[in-house]
């Protein structure tokens, strides 16, 4: 699903212009413009949706569970040796 989001440091840490339609935080006119642009640009909505789907697939639990559990196990093992 394509997303319109305020350009904040937290959101920019994980997402870029290829995945999210940004607008300036606290700028209601910028939000309005982003909504209108989104409404009028089917191609842009589709591109953002595809990029977001790739991101979601890459970082889905089924793809990262092994890595996450390995990190947790590593941390648990290292804390035992203190």
């Amino acid at each position: 699903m394509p997303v319109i989001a305020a350009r904040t440091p937290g959101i920019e840490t994980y997402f870029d212009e290829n995945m999210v339609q940004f607008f300036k935080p606290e700028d209601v006119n910028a939000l309005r413009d982003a909504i209108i642009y989104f409404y009028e640009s089917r191609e842009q909505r589709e591109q953002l949706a595809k990029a977001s789907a790739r991101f979601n697939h890459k970082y889905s639990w089924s793809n990262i569970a092994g890595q996450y559990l390995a990190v947790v196990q590593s941390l648990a093992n290292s804390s035992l040796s203190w």
Side-chain angles (χ1 to χ4, degrees):
M1 174 179 299
V3 173
I4 297 171
R7 184 182 296 275
T8 62
I11 293 175
E12 282 188 308
T13 298
Y14 298 100
F15 306 102
D16 62 29
E17 291 82 10
N18 296 317
M19 294 181 279
V20 175
Q21 178 67 44
F22 286 112
F23 69 93
K24 183 179 177 183
E26 300 182 26
D27 185 340
V28 72
N29 293 324
L31 174 58
R32 178 204 61 215
D33 293 345
I35 292 169
I36 291 170
Y37 175 72
F38 236 32
Y39 176 77
E40 293 176 345
S41 181
R42 179 180 181 155
E43 182 179 324
Q44 177 67 4
R45 291 191 313 265
E46 290 174 354
Q47 287 177 350
L48 293 180
K50 287 177 186 176
S52 294
R54 286 190 300 272
F55 176 89
N56 288 335
H57 176 73
K58 180 177 180 180
Y59 294 104
S60 68
W61 181 249
S62 61
N63 286 331
I64 66 164
Q67 294 171 338
Y68 175 78
L69 295 173
V71 168
V72 170
Q73 186 63 49
S74 172
L75 292 170
N77 291 341
S78 68
S79 66
L80 295 175
S81 62
W82 290 22

